[in-house]
Structures are given as structure tokens and as C-alpha cells.
Amino acid sequence: MKSIRIIVAVAFMVLISSFAINQVGNSNSDSGYAIGDAATDFKLRNIDDSFVSLSDYPEAKGFIIIFTCNHCPYSVAYEDRIIALDQKYKSQGYPVVAINPNNPKAYPEDSFEKMKERAASKQFTFPYLFDEDQTIYPQYGATKTPHVYVLKKENKALRVKYIGAIDNNYKDADKADQKYVGNAVDALLSGKAVPVETTRAIGCSIKS
Amino acid sequence: MKKISFALSYLVLIGFLLSCKQKPAIIMDPIAIVEAKGYAIPVYDFENFKVLLGKKDDKIRVVNFWATWCKPCIEEMPYFELVNSAYADKNVEVILVSLDVPSQIESKLIPYLERQNIQSQVVVLDDPDANSWIPKVDEDWTGAIPATYIYKGNECYFYEQSFSYNELEKELKKFIP
């Protein structure tokens, strides 16, 4: 009997250590939201110099929160699709709220002034907020741009329903046959379960 | 009693196998090879590229995912180059996996390689359906770059982070007795 216990202990130690090896170097994989978590509201400066919070939208059923920025080619590749998402879903209760999480000292192109310029030239239809103190993106667990969180209002909480990419082809919107964010919001609007809850995509790491 | 210990050792074995990726050994077949200024850059989809993540020889491979537009990637590039030259006689090989779009290989990637006199092996990974392949590189990779995968045989480590030279060397030395 005693020997069984020893074997169990040894097996556990070996198992745990083999997992621990794989964990080395992953500093940010365990932080941030998972599906079903309640997301935080925020108060961040918009490109029109007003402050925007999610509580400013009492009519909204939820939100498409997109961490994005000016400098990242993947963000730029998705700009038109982000505008299209806002145009399609704002009227249905799921507006886009874009947040630039980068430190402009690391990326001068992501400064507040440049955000204003970019939003004006692309005629963004949604708020483009600046996470100036860099306190919001770590709470969400965003690691890169673009990085999307679809939230749904449930009672008083904002529940995370989808985390990940906009679709499955950053290069060519026409070739994207999995519209992850659109499918998620469509499902939420019709009271169904979100078909794909988390996805991953290459993106530009957020710099502090 | 025997059964239990057998089951447990099986569990332990599974634990070991899961701790590294098993990749089938097939020949790498590029989608395209872009040639300019004396460079020939192969472009792979993930199916062909993944061979590079699972070679079962004696080499220590340092596989760095980067792009010319990725500022932190460019900042750490000299360290990877230095490892490639300083550890060449220790059986270390650096592979720089560019995620630049193929249309910019000639206009951005090759000029960068030429300007910086990059000596490490460079390949382009062009597979837009990243959600399908990112977890196959590492379960914990969110997709942010720079990211680095270091392996030898069945021993492997993955890092979603930027490196200093000392940090990179420290990780590399785990493989060198």
C-alpha cells in the first residue's frame, strides 16, 4: 500500500515537472479574461477628447471591444472590416469600441495625435480610445493588436463571450470563410451559443 | 498492484510525450521561392513549414517568429544573429521565420536582410488561417510576435517574449551540456 502512495507521488511530481518545463517563458498566458468572465468597464479618452465608458451605452446589448492601433500592419489590414462590423452591428445593439493599448514612446505612430489623424482619414464610425495609463489591456489580457473581445450584457455584468481574431484571413477579407466576430454576435443576437469562442491570430505585441 | 503501477508509469510516459511535439518527417515543399539580389527566400504554408519544428537530429534549433514591420522583433534580431555565429560550432542553428506578406518579400524583407547583412537562415511562413496553426507551434502562444521556439530532439521550449542577448544565451545553455 505504501509503495502505491510513493508511486503516485513520484508520478505526480514527474507529471507536474514536465508541465512546468513547458510553462517556462510564458509570462502572459495566464492573465486576462476567459470566456464567461465579467469584463471591467473603463473611462478612456476618445479621439474627440471626450471620455467614453461602456456605461454610456444604456441601450447596448453588448460590445465589440477591439484592441487595435495605427502602426501594426495587421490592424491596418483589418480597419475596413472593423468599420463594417460597427456599421452592421451598432444598430443591432453591438457597437464597436476600439482601444489603442500601446505606449507611444515605443511606437510613435500610436500617439494620441496620430490616432486622431488615422481616425479622421479612415472616417472611423466608432470611438477610438487611448489606454493612456495602460491599465485596461492587461485586465482584458490583450497581448497583441488586433485582439477582439465580444461582451454581452447579462443582468448588470458584461460577460466575455468571444476572444480572438476578427476572421480567418487577415490578407483578404473575401477569402475569409470563418467570420468569427460576426458569427459570435449573430449567435448572441439570436440567443444561441457562440459557435467558436476563442481563436488566435498573428498580431503585433502590445508594448508598454 | 501491478496494474496500478503499470497504469501510472503509462501516465508518466504520456506526460513526457505531451511535453514535446511529435511532427512527422516529410520533405518541405515551398509554395514559392522569391529570388532577388542574390537571395532565394522559400515561402511555406504551415503543413510544410512544421517539419522545421520537429527535426530529430542532434541540432539545437532556435526558431524565431518575426516580421520586418515588428519593431521589437527587429530590436532583438542582432542577438539571434550573434547566437547563430557564436554557437555555430556547438551545433546550434538559428532559423528566422518571417511573417511578412509574400508581396513584400522583394520590397521589404530582402532589402532588410541585405542592409543588416543577416546570415541566419530565413524562411517565410505564409498561412493566413493562423488560428489553425498557432496552437500547433505552442498551445500557449496567443499569436503575438516576437515569439521563439527552441528545441533539440524531444526537448522544447516556447517563449512569447522579447529577448536580450543574455536571456537568449541563458535559455540556449539549457541545451548545451
Side-chain angles (χ1 to χ4, degrees):
Chain A
M1 201 54 205
K2 208 176 185 183
S3 65
I4 293 180
R5 259 189 233 148
I6 292 168
I7 291 166
V8 168
V10 169
F12 259 97
M13 275 161 64
V14 171
L15 264 180
I16 288 167
S17 62
S18 72
F19 285 123
I21 286 167
N22 263 359
Q23 289 303 316
V24 173
N26 286 301
S27 52
N28 47 14
S29 59
D30 297 327
S31 56
Y33 296 141
I35 298 299
D37 284 355
T40 184
D41 197 354
F42 41 74
K43 189 176 179 186
L44 297 174
R45 193 188 292 277
N46 192 10
I47 38 166
D48 64 2
D49 289 304
S50 68
F51 280 87
V52 171
S53 294
L54 299 181
S55 58
D56 299 338
Y57 297 76
E59 309 295 313
K61 294 173 188 160
F63 297 93
I64 302 169
I65 309 285
I66 305 182
F67 292 91
T68 187
C69 66
N70 290 351
H71 91 273
C72 176
Y74 284 82
S75 292
V76 173
Y78 273 111
E79 276 172 343
D80 291 338
R81 280 173 266 184
I82 294 172
I83 295 168
L85 279 172
D86 187 57
Q87 284 172 340
K88 181 169 180 189
Y89 292 110
K90 183 157 46 187
S91 57
Q92 298 184 61
Y94 279 84
V96 165
V97 176
I99 302 174
N100 167 21
N102 277 318
N103 182 347
K105 285 195 182 118
Y107 296 117
E109 243 186 287
D110 292 337
S111 72
F112 191 55
E113 281 310 308
K114 300 271 186 191
M115 285 172 62
K116 289 181 175 179
E117 287 170 22
R118 190 70 199 163
S121 72
K122 288 298 293 183
Q123 297 186 300
F124 284 176
T125 56
F126 45 83
Y128 187 21
L129 312 179
F130 187 28
D131 189 5
E132 199 169 359
D133 299 328
Q134 299 196 298
T135 52
I136 300 304
Y137 86 79
Q139 288 187 57
Y140 276 72
T143 58
K144 62 186 186 297
T145 55
H147 204 151
V148 184
Y149 294 75
V150 174
L151 313 180
K152 179 176 182 257
K153 275 189 195 168
E154 282 179 357
N155 300 318
K156 295 222 162 155
L158 292 159
R159 293 281 166 201
V160 177
K161 295 293 181 181
Y162 171 79
I163 303 173
I166 291 169
D167 59 38
N168 67 343
N169 193 321
Y170 77 92
K171 281 204 291 191
D172 188 346
D174 294 334
K175 286 190 185 144
D177 54 7
Q178 295 279 325
K179 301 198 178 349
Y180 302 123
V181 170
N183 293 347
V185 178
D186 285 342
L188 294 172
L189 284 169
S190 56
K192 290 180 189 147
V194 172
V196 179
E197 294 178 316
T198 59
T199 59
R200 281 181 261 190
I202 294 296
C204 309
S205 62
I206 295 169
K207 288 290 263 188
S208 53
Chain B
M1 178 62 202
K2 221 175 186 180
K3 252 187 194 165
I4 293 175
S5 61
F6 177 74
L8 283 171
S9 51
Y10 186 67
L11 212 66
V12 170
L13 187 69
I14 298 244
F16 274 124
L17 289 178
L18 284 178
S19 68
C20 241
K21 280 130 216 131
Q22 301 290 303
K23 303 268 176 356
I26 51 166
I27 307 294
M28 290 176 78
D29 184 19
I31 310 168
I33 295 173
V34 179
E35 290 176 89
K37 296 183 175 178
Y39 290 86
I41 307 293
V43 183
Y44 297 105
D45 59 14
F46 187 77
E47 199 51 35
N48 283 290
F49 165 78
K50 69 181 182 188
V51 175
L52 269 182
L53 301 179
K55 289 196 173 174
K56 299 279 185 249
D57 52 20
D58 287 340
K59 273 197 177 162
I60 302 158
R61 286 190 175 77
V62 179
V63 184
N64 174 242
F65 294 87
W66 70 292
T68 57
W69 47 260
C70 165
K71 199 176 152 195
C73 306
I74 298 304
E75 285 167 358
E76 66 177 10
M77 195 55 74
Y79 313 138
F80 287 90
E81 278 287 282
L82 193 52
V83 159
N84 191 55
S85 57
Y87 285 87
D89 59 350
K90 298 266 191 336
N91 224 3
V92 174
E93 181 181 55
V94 171
I95 302 160
L96 302 174
V97 182
S98 158
L99 294 159
D100 286 277
V101 292
S103 62
Q104 294 191 340
I105 294 175
E106 209 175 322
S107 61
K108 294 236 168 96
L109 178 62
I110 290 176
Y112 171 82
L113 300 178
E114 189 183 38
R115 207 163 53 238
Q116 300 296 326
N117 193 23
I118 300 292
Q119 298 298 311
S120 307
Q121 184 188 347
V122 177
V123 303
V124 168
L125 173 56
D126 175 40
D127 203 326
D129 188 6
N131 183 53
S132 68
W133 58 261
I134 287 172
K136 292 178 190 165
V137 178
D138 189 273
E139 258 313 311
D140 291 324
W141 187 13
T142 71
I145 56 172
T148 300
Y149 183 76
I150 307 179
Y151 78 97
K152 180 188 175 187
N154 277 325
E155 192 182 359
C156 58
Y157 297 87
F158 180 79
Y159 311 86
E160 183 174 326
Q161 63 170 76
S162 294
F163 277 108
S164 68
Y165 185 72
N166 286 343
E167 286 166 344
L168 184 59
E169 197 176 35
K170 190 175 152 225
E171 296 307 319
L172 190 62
K173 283 191 171 155
K174 290 179 180 171
F175 291 88
I176 300 168

mmCIF file of all heavy atoms in Angstrom, chain A residues 42-46 51 67 99-105 110 112 115 129-139 206-208:
data_model
loop_
_atom_site.group_PDB
_atom_site.id
_atom_site.type_symbol
_atom_site.label_atom_id
_atom_site.label_comp_id
_atom_site.label_asym_id
_atom_site.label_seq_id
_atom_site.Cartn_x
_atom_site.Cartn_y
_atom_site.Cartn_z
ATOM 1 N N PHE A 42 -14.585 50.945 -18.195
ATOM 2 C CA PHE A 42 -13.406 51.814 -18.156
ATOM 3 C C PHE A 42 -13.855 53.228 -18.476
ATOM 4 O O PHE A 42 -15.009 53.461 -18.859
ATOM 5 C CB PHE A 42 -12.352 51.346 -19.154
ATOM 6 C CG PHE A 42 -12.919 50.911 -20.480
ATOM 7 C CD1 PHE A 42 -13.401 51.850 -21.395
ATOM 8 C CD2 PHE A 42 -13.013 49.560 -20.809
ATOM 9 C CE1 PHE A 42 -13.936 51.458 -22.602
ATOM 10 C CE2 PHE A 42 -13.565 49.161 -22.030
ATOM 11 C CZ PHE A 42 -14.028 50.111 -22.926
ATOM 12 N N LYS A 43 -12.957 54.146 -18.320
ATOM 13 C CA LYS A 43 -13.222 55.526 -18.710
ATOM 14 C C LYS A 43 -11.966 56.002 -19.423
ATOM 15 O O LYS A 43 -10.951 56.292 -18.780
ATOM 16 C CB LYS A 43 -13.529 56.363 -17.472
ATOM 17 C CG LYS A 43 -14.017 57.752 -17.808
ATOM 18 C CD LYS A 43 -14.406 58.518 -16.552
ATOM 19 C CE LYS A 43 -14.860 59.916 -16.918
ATOM 20 N NZ LYS A 43 -15.097 60.719 -15.730
ATOM 21 N N LEU A 44 -12.015 56.007 -20.747
ATOM 22 C CA LEU A 44 -10.822 56.315 -21.528
ATOM 23 C C LEU A 44 -11.097 57.465 -22.487
ATOM 24 O O LEU A 44 -12.228 57.654 -22.958
ATOM 25 C CB LEU A 44 -10.384 55.080 -22.339
ATOM 26 C CG LEU A 44 -9.962 53.844 -21.534
ATOM 27 C CD1 LEU A 44 -9.708 52.662 -22.465
ATOM 28 C CD2 LEU A 44 -8.731 54.127 -20.686
ATOM 29 N N ARG A 45 -10.032 58.188 -22.792
ATOM 30 C CA ARG A 45 -10.170 59.363 -23.656
ATOM 31 C C ARG A 45 -10.358 58.941 -25.121
ATOM 32 O O ARG A 45 -9.617 58.110 -25.646
ATOM 33 C CB ARG A 45 -8.930 60.247 -23.546
ATOM 34 C CG ARG A 45 -9.147 61.639 -24.163
ATOM 35 C CD ARG A 45 -7.850 62.426 -24.225
ATOM 36 N NE ARG A 45 -7.345 62.808 -22.913
ATOM 37 C CZ ARG A 45 -7.754 63.885 -22.234
ATOM 38 N NH1 ARG A 45 -8.657 64.687 -22.731
ATOM 39 N NH2 ARG A 45 -7.238 64.156 -21.047
ATOM 40 N N ASN A 46 -11.372 59.561 -25.728
ATOM 41 C CA ASN A 46 -11.670 59.291 -27.132
ATOM 42 C C ASN A 46 -10.940 60.322 -28.005
ATOM 43 O O ASN A 46 -10.478 61.352 -27.522
ATOM 44 C CB ASN A 46 -13.188 59.369 -27.342
ATOM 45 C CG ASN A 46 -13.613 58.811 -28.694
ATOM 46 O OD1 ASN A 46 -12.806 58.200 -29.414
ATOM 47 N ND2 ASN A 46 -14.866 59.024 -29.043
ATOM 48 N N PHE A 51 -14.534 61.597 -22.771
ATOM 49 C CA PHE A 51 -14.223 60.322 -22.137
ATOM 50 C C PHE A 51 -15.360 59.344 -22.393
ATOM 51 O O PHE A 51 -16.533 59.727 -22.321
ATOM 52 C CB PHE A 51 -13.995 60.500 -20.636
ATOM 53 C CG PHE A 51 -12.614 61.027 -20.336
ATOM 54 C CD1 PHE A 51 -12.371 62.399 -20.322
ATOM 55 C CD2 PHE A 51 -11.565 60.151 -20.104
ATOM 56 C CE1 PHE A 51 -11.103 62.883 -20.075
ATOM 57 C CE2 PHE A 51 -10.285 60.631 -19.848
ATOM 58 C CZ PHE A 51 -10.053 61.998 -19.832
ATOM 59 N N PHE A 67 -8.931 45.828 -29.369
ATOM 60 C CA PHE A 67 -7.636 46.453 -29.116
ATOM 61 C C PHE A 67 -6.905 46.514 -30.452
ATOM 62 O O PHE A 67 -6.649 45.485 -31.084
ATOM 63 C CB PHE A 67 -6.840 45.650 -28.074
ATOM 64 C CG PHE A 67 -7.456 45.723 -26.706
ATOM 65 C CD1 PHE A 67 -8.386 44.776 -26.293
ATOM 66 C CD2 PHE A 67 -7.152 46.768 -25.855
ATOM 67 C CE1 PHE A 67 -8.989 44.865 -25.043
ATOM 68 C CE2 PHE A 67 -7.743 46.865 -24.597
ATOM 69 C CZ PHE A 67 -8.666 45.909 -24.187
ATOM 70 N N ILE A 99 -9.774 50.369 -28.903
ATOM 71 C CA ILE A 99 -8.863 50.888 -27.877
ATOM 72 C C ILE A 99 -7.418 50.699 -28.349
ATOM 73 O O ILE A 99 -7.030 49.582 -28.704
ATOM 74 C CB ILE A 99 -9.042 50.136 -26.536
ATOM 75 C CG1 ILE A 99 -10.494 50.245 -26.041
ATOM 76 C CG2 ILE A 99 -8.069 50.666 -25.473
ATOM 77 C CD1 ILE A 99 -10.789 49.411 -24.793
ATOM 78 N N ASN A 100 -6.660 51.780 -28.333
ATOM 79 C CA ASN A 100 -5.227 51.672 -28.619
ATOM 80 C C ASN A 100 -4.479 51.451 -27.305
ATOM 81 O O ASN A 100 -4.439 52.345 -26.458
ATOM 82 C CB ASN A 100 -4.740 52.953 -29.309
ATOM 83 C CG ASN A 100 -3.218 53.039 -29.355
ATOM 84 O OD1 ASN A 100 -2.522 52.037 -29.247
ATOM 85 N ND2 ASN A 100 -2.698 54.252 -29.499
ATOM 86 N N PRO A 101 -3.859 50.283 -27.131
ATOM 87 C CA PRO A 101 -3.213 49.974 -25.856
ATOM 88 C C PRO A 101 -1.721 50.314 -25.815
ATOM 89 O O PRO A 101 -1.083 50.115 -24.782
ATOM 90 C CB PRO A 101 -3.392 48.456 -25.769
ATOM 91 C CG PRO A 101 -3.324 48.011 -27.203
ATOM 92 C CD PRO A 101 -3.868 49.141 -28.049
ATOM 93 N N ASN A 102 -1.176 50.810 -26.914
ATOM 94 C CA ASN A 102 0.289 50.933 -26.980
ATOM 95 C C ASN A 102 0.824 52.201 -26.329
ATOM 96 O O ASN A 102 0.169 53.235 -26.285
ATOM 97 C CB ASN A 102 0.751 50.900 -28.441
ATOM 98 C CG ASN A 102 0.876 49.481 -28.937
ATOM 99 O OD1 ASN A 102 1.373 48.609 -28.233
ATOM 100 N ND2 ASN A 102 0.399 49.243 -30.150
ATOM 101 N N ASN A 103 2.057 52.086 -25.868
ATOM 102 C CA ASN A 103 2.783 53.240 -25.360
ATOM 103 C C ASN A 103 3.414 53.956 -26.547
ATOM 104 O O ASN A 103 4.246 53.379 -27.241
ATOM 105 C CB ASN A 103 3.863 52.757 -24.390
ATOM 106 C CG ASN A 103 4.631 53.907 -23.779
ATOM 107 O OD1 ASN A 103 4.531 55.055 -24.250
ATOM 108 N ND2 ASN A 103 5.383 53.618 -22.734
ATOM 109 N N PRO A 104 3.029 55.221 -26.784
ATOM 110 C CA PRO A 104 3.574 55.931 -27.950
ATOM 111 C C PRO A 104 5.082 56.146 -27.874
ATOM 112 O O PRO A 104 5.709 56.424 -28.897
ATOM 113 C CB PRO A 104 2.832 57.256 -27.957
ATOM 114 C CG PRO A 104 1.978 57.294 -26.761
ATOM 115 C CD PRO A 104 2.059 56.004 -26.034
ATOM 116 N N LYS A 105 5.656 55.950 -26.692
ATOM 117 C CA LYS A 105 7.125 56.035 -26.617
ATOM 118 C C LYS A 105 7.737 54.847 -27.341
ATOM 119 O O LYS A 105 8.811 54.964 -27.933
ATOM 120 C CB LYS A 105 7.577 56.068 -25.157
ATOM 121 C CG LYS A 105 7.315 57.418 -24.520
ATOM 122 C CD LYS A 105 8.084 57.563 -23.208
ATOM 123 C CE LYS A 105 7.789 58.896 -22.561
ATOM 124 N NZ LYS A 105 7.141 58.759 -21.242
ATOM 125 N N ASP A 110 1.618 55.471 -32.733
ATOM 126 C CA ASP A 110 0.403 55.205 -31.962
ATOM 127 C C ASP A 110 0.107 56.305 -30.951
ATOM 128 O O ASP A 110 -0.612 56.089 -29.978
ATOM 129 C CB ASP A 110 0.521 53.850 -31.239
ATOM 130 C CG ASP A 110 0.529 52.688 -32.214
ATOM 131 O OD1 ASP A 110 0.024 52.871 -33.336
ATOM 132 O OD2 ASP A 110 1.027 51.621 -31.860
ATOM 133 N N PHE A 112 -1.567 59.776 -29.384
ATOM 134 C CA PHE A 112 -2.955 60.244 -29.392
ATOM 135 C C PHE A 112 -3.220 61.131 -30.605
ATOM 136 O O PHE A 112 -4.259 61.022 -31.257
ATOM 137 C CB PHE A 112 -3.238 60.983 -28.080
ATOM 138 C CG PHE A 112 -4.687 61.279 -27.865
ATOM 139 C CD1 PHE A 112 -5.636 60.267 -27.898
ATOM 140 C CD2 PHE A 112 -5.115 62.573 -27.617
ATOM 141 C CE1 PHE A 112 -6.978 60.539 -27.700
ATOM 142 C CE2 PHE A 112 -6.463 62.849 -27.421
ATOM 143 C CZ PHE A 112 -7.394 61.841 -27.465
ATOM 144 N N MET A 115 -3.529 58.998 -33.593
ATOM 145 C CA MET A 115 -4.827 58.293 -33.555
ATOM 146 C C MET A 115 -5.911 59.176 -34.162
ATOM 147 O O MET A 115 -6.749 58.708 -34.937
ATOM 148 C CB MET A 115 -5.221 57.957 -32.109
ATOM 149 C CG MET A 115 -4.466 56.820 -31.478
ATOM 150 S SD MET A 115 -4.855 56.693 -29.705
ATOM 151 C CE MET A 115 -6.610 56.349 -29.732
ATOM 152 N N LEU A 129 -10.370 54.820 -28.552
ATOM 153 C CA LEU A 129 -9.944 55.260 -27.222
ATOM 154 C C LEU A 129 -8.459 54.985 -26.996
ATOM 155 O O LEU A 129 -7.879 54.083 -27.604
ATOM 156 C CB LEU A 129 -10.767 54.549 -26.146
ATOM 157 C CG LEU A 129 -12.285 54.543 -26.349
ATOM 158 C CD1 LEU A 129 -12.963 53.782 -25.207
ATOM 159 C CD2 LEU A 129 -12.834 55.968 -26.427
ATOM 160 N N PHE A 130 -7.905 55.742 -26.077
ATOM 161 C CA PHE A 130 -6.479 55.628 -25.779
ATOM 162 C C PHE A 130 -6.314 55.098 -24.356
ATOM 163 O O PHE A 130 -6.734 55.751 -23.398
ATOM 164 C CB PHE A 130 -5.847 57.017 -25.918
ATOM 165 C CG PHE A 130 -4.353 57.029 -25.815
ATOM 166 C CD1 PHE A 130 -3.585 55.937 -26.171
ATOM 167 C CD2 PHE A 130 -3.701 58.177 -25.360
ATOM 168 C CE1 PHE A 130 -2.203 55.965 -26.082
ATOM 169 C CE2 PHE A 130 -2.320 58.217 -25.264
ATOM 170 C CZ PHE A 130 -1.564 57.104 -25.625
ATOM 171 N N ASP A 131 -5.730 53.919 -24.228
ATOM 172 C CA ASP A 131 -5.464 53.323 -22.911
ATOM 173 C C ASP A 131 -4.154 53.923 -22.400
ATOM 174 O O ASP A 131 -3.135 53.250 -22.284
ATOM 175 C CB ASP A 131 -5.366 51.792 -23.041
ATOM 176 C CG ASP A 131 -5.303 51.088 -21.689
ATOM 177 O OD1 ASP A 131 -5.425 51.766 -20.649
ATOM 178 O OD2 ASP A 131 -5.122 49.857 -21.685
ATOM 179 N N GLU A 132 -4.253 55.186 -22.075
ATOM 180 C CA GLU A 132 -3.069 56.002 -21.802
ATOM 181 C C GLU A 132 -2.221 55.468 -20.644
ATOM 182 O O GLU A 132 -0.994 55.466 -20.714
ATOM 183 C CB GLU A 132 -3.530 57.435 -21.490
ATOM 184 C CG GLU A 132 -2.447 58.459 -21.636
ATOM 185 C CD GLU A 132 -3.011 59.876 -21.593
ATOM 186 O OE1 GLU A 132 -4.241 60.032 -21.476
ATOM 187 O OE2 GLU A 132 -2.214 60.810 -21.659
ATOM 188 N N ASP A 133 -2.903 55.025 -19.585
ATOM 189 C CA ASP A 133 -2.165 54.503 -18.419
ATOM 190 C C ASP A 133 -1.833 53.017 -18.582
ATOM 191 O O ASP A 133 -1.237 52.424 -17.683
ATOM 192 C CB ASP A 133 -2.988 54.697 -17.143
ATOM 193 C CG ASP A 133 -3.272 56.172 -16.895
ATOM 194 O OD1 ASP A 133 -2.414 57.003 -17.275
ATOM 195 O OD2 ASP A 133 -4.329 56.487 -16.343
ATOM 196 N N GLN A 134 -2.271 52.439 -19.678
ATOM 197 C CA GLN A 134 -2.061 51.022 -19.960
ATOM 198 C C GLN A 134 -2.548 50.132 -18.819
ATOM 199 O O GLN A 134 -1.878 49.168 -18.430
ATOM 200 C CB GLN A 134 -0.588 50.764 -20.285
ATOM 201 C CG GLN A 134 -0.148 51.550 -21.531
ATOM 202 C CD GLN A 134 1.153 51.045 -22.102
ATOM 203 O OE1 GLN A 134 2.159 51.104 -21.416
ATOM 204 N NE2 GLN A 134 1.137 50.550 -23.326
ATOM 205 N N THR A 135 -3.722 50.460 -18.300
ATOM 206 C CA THR A 135 -4.286 49.665 -17.205
ATOM 207 C C THR A 135 -5.405 48.743 -17.676
ATOM 208 O O THR A 135 -5.743 47.777 -16.994
ATOM 209 C CB THR A 135 -4.877 50.587 -16.113
ATOM 210 O OG1 THR A 135 -5.768 51.506 -16.738
ATOM 211 C CG2 THR A 135 -3.777 51.352 -15.392
ATOM 212 N N ILE A 136 -6.005 49.056 -18.830
ATOM 213 C CA ILE A 136 -7.174 48.284 -19.269
ATOM 214 C C ILE A 136 -6.771 47.019 -20.030
ATOM 215 O O ILE A 136 -7.278 45.934 -19.771
ATOM 216 C CB ILE A 136 -8.123 49.162 -20.124
ATOM 217 C CG1 ILE A 136 -8.611 50.355 -19.293
ATOM 218 C CG2 ILE A 136 -9.304 48.350 -20.641
ATOM 219 C CD1 ILE A 136 -9.293 49.979 -17.975
ATOM 220 N N TYR A 137 -5.818 47.153 -20.966
ATOM 221 C CA TYR A 137 -5.495 45.964 -21.780
ATOM 222 C C TYR A 137 -4.977 44.791 -20.951
ATOM 223 O O TYR A 137 -5.313 43.640 -21.248
ATOM 224 C CB TYR A 137 -4.553 46.321 -22.945
ATOM 225 C CG TYR A 137 -3.084 46.315 -22.638
ATOM 226 C CD1 TYR A 137 -2.377 45.112 -22.575
ATOM 227 C CD2 TYR A 137 -2.392 47.487 -22.400
ATOM 228 C CE1 TYR A 137 -1.021 45.103 -22.276
ATOM 229 C CE2 TYR A 137 -1.052 47.484 -22.093
ATOM 230 C CZ TYR A 137 -0.368 46.287 -22.024
ATOM 231 O OH TYR A 137 0.954 46.270 -21.715
ATOM 232 N N PRO A 138 -4.202 45.052 -19.848
ATOM 233 C CA PRO A 138 -3.770 43.873 -19.068
ATOM 234 C C PRO A 138 -4.939 43.194 -18.347
ATOM 235 O O PRO A 138 -4.918 41.980 -18.174
ATOM 236 C CB PRO A 138 -2.782 44.452 -18.045
ATOM 237 C CG PRO A 138 -2.441 45.824 -18.518
ATOM 238 C CD PRO A 138 -3.617 46.295 -19.325
ATOM 239 N N GLN A 139 -5.942 43.989 -17.952
ATOM 240 C CA GLN A 139 -7.100 43.372 -17.295
ATOM 241 C C GLN A 139 -7.835 42.462 -18.265
ATOM 242 O O GLN A 139 -8.302 41.392 -17.896
ATOM 243 C CB GLN A 139 -8.070 44.444 -16.796
ATOM 244 C CG GLN A 139 -7.556 45.213 -15.608
ATOM 245 C CD GLN A 139 -8.633 46.146 -15.061
ATOM 246 O OE1 GLN A 139 -9.726 45.726 -14.699
ATOM 247 N NE2 GLN A 139 -8.318 47.428 -15.027
ATOM 248 N N ILE A 206 1.731 44.111 -27.860
ATOM 249 C CA ILE A 206 1.448 45.400 -27.235
ATOM 250 C C ILE A 206 2.679 45.804 -26.416
ATOM 251 O O ILE A 206 3.220 44.980 -25.679
ATOM 252 C CB ILE A 206 0.191 45.308 -26.356
ATOM 253 C CG1 ILE A 206 -1.026 45.028 -27.235
ATOM 254 C CG2 ILE A 206 0.007 46.574 -25.529
ATOM 255 C CD1 ILE A 206 -2.286 44.662 -26.473
ATOM 256 N N LYS A 207 3.108 47.044 -26.576
ATOM 257 C CA LYS A 207 4.319 47.483 -25.876
ATOM 258 C C LYS A 207 3.983 48.474 -24.774
ATOM 259 O O LYS A 207 3.193 49.386 -24.966
ATOM 260 C CB LYS A 207 5.279 48.162 -26.860
ATOM 261 C CG LYS A 207 5.929 47.196 -27.814
ATOM 262 C CD LYS A 207 6.924 46.285 -27.127
ATOM 263 C CE LYS A 207 8.343 46.807 -27.260
ATOM 264 N NZ LYS A 207 9.328 45.846 -26.759
ATOM 265 N N SER A 208 4.618 48.268 -23.616
ATOM 266 C CA SER A 208 4.415 49.208 -22.510
ATOM 267 C C SER A 208 5.663 50.065 -22.335
ATOM 268 O O SER A 208 6.680 49.820 -22.939
ATOM 269 C CB SER A 208 4.115 48.452 -21.230
ATOM 270 O OG SER A 208 5.106 47.492 -21.010
#
